[in-house]
Amino acid sequence: MCESTAEQKPPHDERTLKLGKTIRILQSRLPTLLQTPLPPEILSPQITLHLFPSTHPHLPTVSGRVAYHAALWTAPVAWGRVPIVDNVKLNILSERMVKNGSSSLGAASRAEKLVVRWRTQGKTRGKGMGAFYRGIGANERVDKITEFLGGDARDDEEFTGLFVFEFDEEGRIVSHIIEHVEEGGHWDKMRVVTVTDWLLGKFGGDKEKEIPGLAMPCCNEIRASKSHDDRTAAPVDADSVRKQASSDGRFHRQNSQFRSYVSKDPSAEFPAEKDRYVLYLNYGCPWAHRTNIVRSLKGLESIIQMVAMDFILTTEGWLYTGNGGTAAQDPLHGFKKHKDLYLKADPSYKGRYTVPVLWDKKKETIVSNESSEIIRMFFTEFDDLLAPELREENRPAGGFLPSHLLADIDAINEWIYDTVNNGVYKCGFASTQEAYEENVHPLFQSLDRLEARLGGLDHSPYLFGAHITEADIRLFPTLIRFDAAYHTLFKCNLRMIRYDYPNLHAWLRRLYWDDGPETKWGAFRTTTYFDHIKKGYAAILNPSIVPVGPVPHILPLPSV
């Protein structure tokens, strides 16, 4: 039996767990803070609201929950911006936890402060304000605030401001300050970390010393099992993944930052050469999957090295573990974390550590981390190193990207990407009901559209007829994951591919099971790893439970 010592205390006290819960709730409510009251359980009974102390230091401070809500509703009137409650929405620009060693409230609060920078959005113009304030029960101090500040700003301008929140011993909001952003800039000079990093236990500022996330113990159902996108790094919980979206709950994918190009031209910066490039990927990632498919379809296995990482995602990128047929470490550099490869390429890099990555061994840098561009390099730029039958110009109907279909393929790629490839992520990572529903219906409308397309004589058995094109390659990684992962884990559950889309289901099974020359003897099947797919997505949203279904992962082809 282990004996408890002073060094073996639990990592977080009860107050910290409560504060983590408060911040998580507050984050989800920030875009509508001026139109929807915060739940009372995260508000101290002694909560205060102070408007614009930098420019109006003598304004009265509103105290108590009722007065707080009333004053908060009338705050937009103070800058003459939003006369109708239903239109008071905010675009959240940044969120930071501040530690400055002091508090304006003394013993009533701790030193942590949450500082939120925001801008109004979608105002209704030209409306009177009188009806807005009447009947809301504002007390004398609220009326005095609106008298001091009301109404001389132009109503065709957006207002940019700061919220500064302080918290009491119970982890509740005890103070809320609203500043104009130009007057509140001193907050950015304090010691800050992102809210996500704070929730991951990095408030001390040591980015290398990982501590279990502060919010995780009260939210185990969405905590990652290992240390998302990446990760001997601390586990990342679902909220940090969702922070790829803005605080209005909508998912926004990060733009790829390495956008160079391999060329068949020997004088190019990155010329096509055998054994010069390495494709880093993760078997669970659909964006990496498309590059692996093309590498196999084109017969590039002996020309471009491939390195696969585990599905474990942490704050420092995917990990090398050696599990499930993946690499135990980066074979070139000995790295154990994908983050290290990015920092080797660019020590100042600040983005996410994504896959796929195409690496140049000679220049020791990342050529590209944009999957759509990597696959187009693979289509043509290494052809001079391939057998004639594998070259794009000798493939049936002009290859995977025939010039006469390029415009049409680009067009279908665009809406499939927005509503299907990325659409499932918009559903799965949505943190508001509104954001989820505004994306789940377009997703299934697009699946309906694809189903109808494959039912036409000119678009069968593949999206552009008799042969596989880039459009099929880009769609396959999403649909092969649909029933096995997205339907359940991402709540894309209006319909299933296998039961509700006979044409799409036939298309999917044909690509997966085909062992002929069209798929280069099984390139789609041999690059699909259902175990990695299901465990990876489950770990992001629910670390300990991997769905057992559907069984089988993909149905066999019908017997003839």
Side-chain angles (χ1 to χ4, degrees), residues 39-247:
E41 63 266 23
I42 70 169
L43 301 177
S44 167
Q46 289 78 43
I47 186 170
T48 62
L49 176 67
H50 198 170
L51 297 180
F52 314 111
S54 296
T55 54
H56 297 76
H58 302 298
L59 280 176
T61 298
V62 171
S63 301
R65 290 171 177 165
V66 174
Y68 169 76
H69 283 137
L72 199 60
W73 282 14
T74 59
V77 180
W79 54 83
R81 290 300 191 268
V82 192
I84 298 176
V85 171
D86 286 344
N87 288 340
V88 185
K89 289 189 177 181
L90 306 177
N91 180 26
I92 305 304
L93 305 177
S94 67
E95 303 163 79
R96 295 290 185 268
M97 292 299 294
V98 176
K99 186 175 184 179
N100 66 348
S102 64
S103 168
S104 63
L105 299 172
S109 79
R110 296 286 187 94
E112 313 100 331
K113 297 178 178 66
L114 172 62
V115 181
V116 180
R117 188 170 180 267
W118 50 267
R119 181 181 295 118
T120 56
Q121 63 178 10
K123 311 175 307 297
T124 299
R125 301 177 184 177
K127 307 278 182 147
M129 291 184 285
F132 175 70
Y133 333 28
R134 286 196 292 269
I136 65 170
N139 62 19
E140 180 179 351
R141 285 173 292 177
V142 175
D143 294 333
K144 188 173 182 180
I145 288 176
T146 57
E147 178 183 340
F148 266 86
L149 296 176
D152 59 354
R154 291 175 51 191
D155 69 355
D156 61 348
E157 295 176 348
E158 300 289 0
F159 185 90
T160 303
L162 290 177
F163 292 148
V164 182
F165 299 95
E166 296 186 42
F167 307 92
D168 67 9
E169 289 294 330
E170 297 297 317
R172 300 170 299 189
I173 301 169
V174 70
S175 171
H176 182 182
I177 296 171
I178 301 179
E179 288 272 27
H180 189 284
V181 73
E182 293 179 357
E183 305 298 338
H186 62 286
W187 295 105
D188 288 336
K189 297 179 177 63
M190 297 180 180
R191 185 182 182 189
V192 301
V193 295
T194 66
V195 173
T196 297
D197 281 347
W198 184 86
L199 290 170
L200 289 169
K202 296 179 179 178
F203 198 69
D206 185 356
K207 296 296 184 181
E208 298 303 320
K209 183 180 179 182
E210 300 289 352
I211 310 169
L214 296 177
M216 293 177 192
C218 60
C219 196
N220 286 331
E221 69 276 13
I222 60 172
R223 176 185 171 190
S225 64
K226 56 287 160 241
S227 115
H228 161 238
D229 220 278
D230 321 307
R231 322 147 174 161
T232 334
V236 62
D237 68 300
D239 279 354
S240 64
V241 177
R242 291 191 184 101
K243 290 315 292 177
Q244 296 179 57
S246 64
S247 293

Side-chain angles (χ1 to χ4, degrees), residues 484-517:
Y486 301 143
H487 180 271
T488 301
L489 296 170
F490 276 12
K491 300 179 285 294
C492 301
N493 55 6
L494 287 178
R495 291 181 283 280
M496 293 182 77
I497 302 299
R498 65 183 60 198
Y499 298 131
D500 302 299
Y501 292 102
N503 294 329
L504 276 172
H505 190 210
W507 168 90
L508 184 64
R509 287 181 294 166
R510 183 177 294 107
L511 287 171
Y512 182 85
W513 291 111
D514 184 87
D515 279 323

Side-chain angles (χ1 to χ4, degrees), residues 258 260-263 265-273 275-278 280 332-333 341-347 358-368:
F258 294 89
S260 298
Y261 209 84
V262 173
S263 171
D265 182 351
S267 65
E269 180 183 9
F270 298 100
E273 296 176 6
D275 295 328
R276 175 167 176 166
Y277 300 98
V278 183
Y280 288 87
L332 301 184
H333 313 103
L341 188 73
Y342 272 82
L343 296 182
K344 184 173 181 62
D346 179 5
L358 187 64
W359 178 265
D360 181 358
K361 290 191 279 189
K362 282 191 175 180
K363 296 195 173 185
E364 293 198 314
T365 192
I366 295 173
V367 179
S368 177

